[in-house]
Amino acid sequence: EPFATFNTPAARRLTTEAILPAIREHGAWVGETSVLVAGGRELPVSQLVIGHRDERGRITRYSAVMRDITRQVEARRQMQQQTATLLAVCQSIPSIVAVVGLDSRYRFVNDAFERWVGAPRERIVGRHVREVLGHADYERVEPWMRRGLAGEAVQFEREYKAPDQSRFFA
């Protein structure tokens, strides 16, 4: 059967579990899968599959448009590897690291930051800096944060005692 000669086992499962149900319901499916090419090599593809219906509304045939996405898949893999490496570095250094968004809410904190604050990142990420540091320390760092968030390279050092941990366990 021609379908089995170029579709991988994973693509055949995806066809049964997701693609055909989507075509029955919506008339088409768009997504990523892979196909087998010369020599049995697996090629990642972006794919559009369309179900063509007869006058009674029954699907009588399918059309597919595929585009080779090997470069995009490799770029994603490299980005995931870089992200994992950066995360490992951030987690292993003894310095506290925190990423704050334009809304002054924490987006990322490392293990050292968790230890310093005395709370797990689940209780820190998403909170406003003022909630975590307290009003007085927030007022001290806010001008630096504003400059950094505006794109300026800033550096400052300050001795801090750990914030009041009671705010995280209330």
Side-chain angles (χ1 to χ4, degrees):
E1 136 183 319
F3 180 76
T5 61
F6 69 87
N7 276 293
T8 64
R12 289 194 297 272
R13 275 192 307 282
L14 184 65
T15 298
T16 302
E17 296 169 5
I19 297 173
L20 292 178
I23 293 170
R24 280 188 218 100
E25 185 173 343
H26 306 290
W29 177 85
V30 177
E32 293 181 6
T33 186
S34 58
V35 295
L36 296 172
V37 295
R41 186 173 62 89
E42 196 170 319
L43 180 75
V45 295
S46 171
Q47 187 172 13
L48 162 65
V49 182
I50 302 168
H52 301 278
R53 298 180 187 273
D54 64 14
E55 61 280 346
R56 292 183 181 164
R58 294 179 301 194
I59 297 174
T60 58
R61 61 189 168 84
Y62 300 93
S63 297
V65 177
M66 296 180 211
R67 182 175 56 89
D68 179 352
I69 57 169
T70 302
R71 287 188 183 133
Q72 292 90 331
V73 169
E74 178 58 19
R76 272 196 309 249
R77 188 195 66 73
Q78 288 179 4
M79 184 62 76
Q80 289 167 342
Q81 186 177 14
Q82 288 176 9
T83 300
T85 300
L86 181 59
L87 179 61
V89 169
C90 282
Q91 295 296 34
S92 66
I93 62 174
S95 299
I96 62 173
V97 176
V99 176
V100 175
L102 292 173
D103 59 356
S104 297
R105 294 184 179 280
Y106 288 100
R107 299 288 179 248
F108 170 84
V109 298
N110 70 347
D111 291 347
F113 192 95
E114 280 185 317
R115 287 190 299 276
W116 177 65
V117 169
R121 66 180 41 89
E122 294 80 21
R123 297 224 175 161
I124 301 167
V125 172
R127 285 186 182 240
H128 196 278
V129 174
R130 179 178 284 140
E131 291 179 80
V132 176
L133 296 183
H135 183 73
D137 282 336
Y138 174 74
E139 293 299 319
R140 283 188 209 109
V141 301
E142 193 272 335
W144 296 99
M145 282 180 23
R146 193 172 355 98
R147 288 171 56 191
L149 290 170
E152 182 180 337
V154 294
Q155 179 178 337
F156 68 98
E157 291 184 29
R158 179 163 168 75
E159 291 286 326
Y160 284 98
K161 62 180 177 116
D164 177 13
Q165 296 174 10
S166 66
R167 75 185 88 221
F168 296 106
F169 302 103

